[in-house]
Amino acid sequence: MTDDPTPGPDAVAIIGMSGRFPGAGDLGRYWDNLRAGVCSLTDFDTAELLAAGLPEDEVCRPAYVPTLGWLADADRFDHQHFGFSRTEAAALDPQHRLLLETAWAALADAGCDPGKPPARTGVYVGGGATEHHLAAQTGREPAASLGAMQVRILTDREFLAPWISYRLGLDGPSVGVQTACSTSLTAVHLAVQALLVGECDTALAGGVAVDAVHPRGYLYQQGGIFSPDGRCRPFDERAAGTVPGNGVGLVLLRRLDDALAAGDPVRAVIRGTAVTNDGAGKVGFTAPGVDGQTAAITEAWAAAGLEPAQAQYLEAHGTGTELGDRVELAAAAAAFGAAGAGRIALGSVKANLGHLDAAAGVAALTKTAFMLQARTLVPTAGVTRPHPDLRGDGTPFRLVTAAAGWPAPDDGPRRAGVTSVGIGGTNVHVVLEEAPPPRPGVARRTALPARTFAGPSFGALRLRRPASEPVAAAVPTATEPAAGPDTGTGTDSATAPGGRTDALVHLLVEVLGLEGPTDLDLTYTAAGGDSLAAVHLVGRIRDDHGIDVPIGLFLEELTLRELIARIETAAADNPLDLLLDELESET
């Protein structure tokens, strides 16, 4: 293998990035925090935890650690922008909401118009398990309003990718990825492969992990993976465990030649990727394996046509657990050993954010892309005393404990490796390289107008403790249209049989989450209705009122007022209803 300063046709460009991480509502703040070595973990006080609904006997236990890599405002969502009704938005899992917003922002970051996305754009994403999904599946309230199938589609992580493709009009492959902690970097690997074989021309890849939107901590257990003091110190001699965290991140990818020809803003270049599994070659299912991690690294650099020793930086998985750090250092040393003593800088973003589970890999990838772009190495927060295995002349690594410039190597561009490891043994490694200079004569894309919106809080479906029963979604209560003539439905509800008009209005309010009488001037689709909600409404109208309404009625360009009037007309045309009305008038 030789050093090739000009990446070939197998290189893939990162042309857009977007994400929200602990302490950072956008990537600008994220990079500022990384450069400053900020620990963005949140320590909650007892009052905050009790206000969030946590039981006092749990919070006051000596082993309870009130710390989290908390994602602020994860309950906010601009539902109208993405075409959801308020009722649907309340049921929609926070992970779906965040991925939709992040996908939109990643396209905009690349200079694309998200309303007119590139053709043949694929989506490769995954997420974690959530309290919201569990509450939706075990509770009766969401299903009563929307129907069981719709609730599943709005909450199951199986539909994370399809919702992005549908709402943003992306017609490439739409693939859900699930490899535990390495999910988002595995998604990047799959997206790169899809681009190289021509399955798509542009791809969104990454992941999300928001198991709950409210403040909380965790119970420390001796011998477990969590830290006893709420701090994660990867590759430090004081390392004693990790801290859970939440976040979301996506990268927009394109074949490098295509990106350069189009004048796309290239953030960094992916030269090679690889995925392996440890198989049975480790001490237990949850334990990491040396050989599998080493293989992922060497295979990725081989795919890039490079040697691992040509790296200047390694962004490690780095959980800060005794076994995990020791195994990862051994595996990385076996792969990068030829680089020479102390030649490769080492870090892990988990010290800054905690362990973001399915979003951990994309957080690490985004950090490394920023460092290549800024030609700056950033510190691993709070890590000052390197692990014994990093001392002496026998290791190729040096731990980054302070921000420093990233000098250009003598033999080519700046390069780095990013590793992610999943429980169950799926190891991923990505080879990153700094972006080449833009081609002369190619225009930069037109900037899009800025838009800021602080959407309403939709919270999440909550589990009562300790019985694990769901409660209502923490959303602002929709103001139902007033009954009678004030609703302006086009019929006199006072004379409608059995107050049917009022009941139909209330049904639409419940299913679509209408906010007031003026919403009745919207069409069904403009109010956030779709085909599944229409199926649910047709069933409810038939069961509650004995009226058979054709589902096509909901797809016509009718206001909701007109829709209700048409349903009333259908009822009047029913001979049985006419007879019942006559009998009712006689009595």
Side-chain angles (χ1 to χ4, degrees):
M1 300 178 191
T2 59
D3 186 20
D4 181 9
T6 56
D10 290 343
V12 169
I14 299 176
I15 63 170
M17 302 192 302
S18 181
R20 291 171 57 185
F21 301 110
D26 56 55
L27 290 188
R29 180 63 180 272
Y30 181 50
W31 175 238
D32 289 343
N33 289 345
L34 291 173
R35 283 189 303 178
V38 173
C39 175
S40 296
L41 299 172
T42 300
D43 299 313
F44 300 105
D45 59 36
T46 301
E48 290 175 304
L49 295 172
L50 294 177
L54 293 166
E56 187 172 3
D57 59 348
E58 179 180 336
V59 171
C60 293
R61 291 177 64 176
Y64 192 84
V65 182
T67 304
L68 179 70
W70 189 54
L71 192 63
D73 295 330
D75 57 345
R76 300 279 171 176
F77 184 52
D78 188 352
H79 65 291
Q80 292 175 324
H81 179 75
F82 291 100
F84 290 96
S85 70
R86 290 182 64 84
T87 302
E88 288 174 320
L92 190 66
D93 192 279
Q95 292 191 145
H96 288 72
R97 305 174 200 158
L98 288 165
L99 272 180
L100 281 165
E101 293 174 335
T102 305
W104 179 277
L107 287 164
D109 183 66
C112 302
D113 180 353
K116 299 175 182 178
R120 303 185 74 235
T121 296
V123 180
Y124 300 82
V125 298
T130 70
E131 283 189 2
H132 184 104
H133 172 63
L134 178 60
Q137 295 302 305
T138 57
R140 292 189 297 271
E141 291 184 18
S145 298
L146 294 167
M149 184 61 183
Q150 182 76 329
V151 169
R152 181 183 169 225
I153 289 173
L154 291 168
T155 60
D156 199 311
R157 55 185 167 177
E158 182 179 352
F159 300 102
L160 288 170
W163 270 123
I164 296 172
S165 298
Y166 176 63
R167 289 301 186 190
L168 298 185
L170 310 180
D171 55 6
S174 192
V175 181
V177 183
Q178 217 58 58
T179 61
C181 319
S182 57
T183 289
S184 56
L185 210 61
T186 300
V188 170
H189 165 78
L190 294 175
V192 167
Q193 297 303 308
L195 288 165
L196 296 181
V197 301
E199 290 180 349
C200 55
D201 294 327
T202 310
L204 279 165
V208 60
V210 182
D211 53 349
V213 298
H214 55 276
R216 71 192 189 287
Y218 60 89
L219 281 173
Y220 167 71
Q221 292 181 310
Q222 183 72 35
I225 65 169
F226 291 130
S227 167
D229 64 356
R231 292 295 179 267
C232 180
R233 301 180 181 89
F235 311 117
D236 190 284
E237 68 176 7
R238 299 167 296 162
T242 194
V243 177
N246 291 165
V248 57
L250 290 172
V251 291
L252 188 66
L253 307 176
R254 200 172 185 189
R255 290 180 291 272
L256 178 62
D257 285 345
D258 294 343
L260 292 175
D264 292 328
V266 179
R267 300 275 202 163
V269 176
I270 297 176
R271 288 291 302 266
T273 67
V275 173
T276 64
N277 192 276
D278 297 324
K282 52 185 181 178
V283 297
F285 180 77
T286 61
V290 174
D291 293 343
Q293 290 187 35
T294 302
I297 296 170
T298 56
E299 289 175 20
W301 286 84
L306 301 166
E307 296 285 352
Q310 292 172 277
Q312 299 98 48
Y313 177 79
L314 172 62
E315 174 66 19
H317 186 64
T319 56
T321 59
E322 181 183 1
L323 177 62
D325 283 5
R326 186 157 43 85
V327 166
E328 188 169 11
L329 285 175
F336 291 100
R343 186 174 175 275
I344 298 177
L346 175 71
S348 170
V349 77
K350 290 180 181 60
N352 306 74
L353 309 178
H355 188 1
L356 304 192
D357 192 61
V362 73
L365 183 74
T366 304
K367 167 191 171 181
T368 310
F370 270 129
M371 290 198 300
L372 284 166
Q373 212 173 356
R375 301 174 180 177
T376 300
L377 298 171
V378 300
T380 300
V383 173
T384 56
R385 293 150 58 181
H387 189 279
D389 290 352
L390 291 172
R391 299 172 186 170
D393 297 332
T395 174
F397 305 110
R398 68 183 191 279
L399 196 60
V400 182
T401 57
W406 187 337
D410 297 330
D411 56 353
R414 295 168 179 83
R415 296 191 179 106
V418 182
T419 293
S420 193
V421 177
I423 287 178
T426 299
N427 312 293
V428 193
H429 190 79
V430 172
V431 178
L432 274 187
E433 184 173 283
E434 65 181 323
R439 291 178 180 171
V442 177
R444 285 299 175 183
R445 292 175 177 264
T446 303
L448 295 173
R451 177 176 186 264
T452 301
F453 178 80
S457 170
F458 284 95
L461 299 173
R462 295 283 298 278
L463 299 179
R464 287 197 187 115
R465 301 168 184 263
S468 290
E469 296 177 359
V471 298
V475 300
T477 302
T479 303
E480 297 187 6
D486 288 343
T487 62
T489 59
T491 63
D492 184 0
S493 60
T495 60
R500 186 165 49 214
T501 300
D502 290 352
L504 291 172
V505 169
H506 285 285
L507 178 60
L508 290 174
V509 167
E510 175 189 350
V511 174
L512 300 178
L514 305 182
E515 298 182 18
T518 57
D519 282 356
L520 293 173
D521 294 322
L522 299 172
T523 64
Y524 173 73
T525 53
D530 60 15
S531 57
L532 270 177
V535 170
H536 179 66
L537 283 167
V538 167
R540 288 281 298 274
I541 293 169
R542 182 182 61 246
D543 295 342
D544 297 348
H545 303 285
I547 307 171
D548 286 323
V549 179
I551 195 168
L553 186 64
F554 290 88
L555 306 181
E556 295 183 20
E557 286 296 314
L558 301 171
T559 67
L560 295 178
R561 299 180 193 277
E562 294 168 335
L563 180 65
I564 292 170
R566 291 279 292 272
I567 295 171
E568 292 282 15
T569 301
D573 291 341
N574 186 324
L576 178 59
D577 273 358
L578 290 173
L579 178 60
L580 291 173
D581 290 349
E582 184 177 344
L583 290 172
E584 183 174 328
S585 64
E586 291 177 356
T587 57

